[in-house]
Amino acid sequence: MPDLRRLKVWPTMESNPWRQPYLADLTYGEMYRLANAFVPGRKVRILEVGCGQGFLSLELARKGHDVLGIDVDEKVVKTARRVMKSDPYKSKRGTLEYEVSDFSSWNSLGKLYDLVIFNRVLHHIPRPNEVLDKVKHLLTIRGRIICIEYAYDRFERQSATWFYHIRRVLEQAGWFASNKPLSDNIQVSVNRIMKDWREHGRKERLNRFKEMHEPLRKLFRERHFSWEPYIFWDIFMGMRIPSVETEMGFARSLKAMEKALIEKAAISPILFCFVGDALSGKNI
């Protein structure tokens, strides 16, 4: 169940951080904590675009906010609604609703929001400048946007080399599940990693960093911008360490290592957090 307060071991989710509580907390839990740090008030009206299975919308509603999550995928919205209905904390949360809709054509029916959130969604949506312009008109005068986004084109050789060394160590220990193990030839393997990463982005027609960042800065007053660790998520997908204690410790160290490398500018980060206020309003 994609619920940060009801985490359990989920063995069938083999390539997903939800399979272990500590992995879910280091990934999805961190996304919640990052977004929650910039929520502008105690009880605000929130729209989450691309809510997926609803873990973030659910947790924000539990904080007392009124939340609407929309997603184009009917299957994931069905899961979000199921989790919402079974929530043991529902008597104390704000209102929570989900809709199946494509945000580009979605009609807000004149409603305005204090906060609009994109959590690793905007890179999938065509014409992000038009989408963000729509958000601008959905915000109240003191409204805010939080955009936590993946920029695949930022993945460079330094990052790929670090990724190689971590994954290769796990593979040699038999602690990484892969049909195509990396070779001992660093140059060949790093080239392959970079090619696979970038080809996936181009194939899926993901938006590049500039295509998202420029309209964000143009349409909103920047309140916060940061680069966050995210490459470690890809390691978690294939990591299979038999000892729970060892895997937990390794996972925490891996995330901390990537954060430190980002702070020292030793690798190129690929996840950014932009927080912007409505240009028409005053700073909160």
Side-chain angles (χ1 to χ4, degrees), residues 1 9-10 19-20 30 44 84 102 105 128 139 155 189 210 216 258 261 275:
M1 184 172 291
V9 177
W10 199 350
R19 72 179 183 272
Q20 285 286 2
E30 189 60 28
V44 300
M84 174 186 69
D102 182 336
S105 57
L139 291 175
F155 190 73
S189 292
K210 184 177 181 180
L216 281 167
E258 185 177 349
L261 290 171
V275 180

Side-chain angles (χ1 to χ4, degrees), residues 70-277:
I70 67 172
D71 199 291
V72 70
D73 189 330
E74 185 175 357
K75 183 177 180 181
V76 297
V77 171
K78 184 178 180 180
T79 298
R81 287 172 175 161
R82 175 175 56 81
V83 176
M84 174 186 69
K85 290 176 181 178
S86 66
D87 179 21
Y89 308 97
K90 57 187 174 184
S91 63
K92 297 180 180 180
R93 72 182 186 219
T95 61
L96 177 59
E97 298 176 295
Y98 294 105
E99 289 185 20
V100 179
S101 182
D102 182 336
F103 180 68
S104 299
S105 57
W106 174 70
N107 188 342
S108 69
L109 300 177
K111 291 183 180 179
L112 296 180
Y113 295 86
D114 303 303
L115 174 63
V116 175
I117 299 178
F118 290 85
N119 179 22
R120 298 168 301 126
V121 171
L122 186 61
H123 63 279
H124 283 294
I125 304 177
R127 299 181 295 280
N129 55 323
E130 296 179 13
V131 168
L132 293 171
D133 187 68
K134 182 173 183 175
V135 170
K136 181 182 71 172
H137 293 92
L138 287 173
L139 291 175
T140 60
I141 194 170
R142 293 168 64 85
R144 175 172 291 182
I145 183 173
I146 298 176
C147 193
I148 302 170
E149 280 304 330
Y150 165 56
Y152 84 92
D153 60 306
R154 292 267 310 176
F155 190 73
E156 297 179 342
R157 181 162 292 274
Q158 305 99 298
S159 305
T161 301
W162 177 70
F163 179 90
Y164 165 79
H165 285 296
I166 299 297
R167 178 173 155 177
R168 187 63 180 146
V169 166
L170 290 171
E171 286 181 348
Q172 290 177 322
W175 291 350
F176 194 90
S178 173
N179 294 326
K180 295 174 62 177
L182 300 173
S183 72
D184 290 329
N185 189 315
I186 296 178
Q187 183 174 351
V188 170
S189 292
V190 168
N191 287 341
R192 176 188 138 194
I193 290 168
M194 291 183 64
K195 180 182 178 182
D196 290 348
W197 207 292
R198 292 190 173 185
E199 280 189 350
H200 172 75
R202 288 191 289 266
K203 181 180 178 181
E204 296 296 321
R205 297 183 178 180
L206 304 183
N207 295 318
R208 296 172 179 267
F209 172 64
K210 184 177 181 180
E211 294 168 327
M212 296 179 284
H213 189 230
E214 285 191 352
L216 281 167
R217 294 194 64 187
K218 178 182 178 182
L219 295 168
F220 307 97
R221 180 185 296 110
E222 184 177 307
R223 170 58 64 93
H224 166 88
F225 182 89
S226 62
W227 288 105
E228 305 293 335
Y230 193 59
I231 299 172
F232 72 93
W233 282 55
D234 216 65
I235 297 292
F236 283 6
M237 298 301 184
M239 186 170 67
R240 301 289 187 274
I241 300 178
S243 165
V244 169
E245 291 77 12
T246 301
E247 186 175 66
M248 186 187 307
F250 185 87
R252 290 172 177 167
S253 297
L254 185 62
K255 178 176 178 286
M257 187 190 307
E258 185 177 349
K259 184 175 178 62
L261 290 171
I262 290 172
E263 291 174 351
K264 295 293 184 180
I267 63 172
S268 300
I270 60 172
L271 188 79
F272 69 89
C273 175
F274 176 95
V275 180
D277 294 336

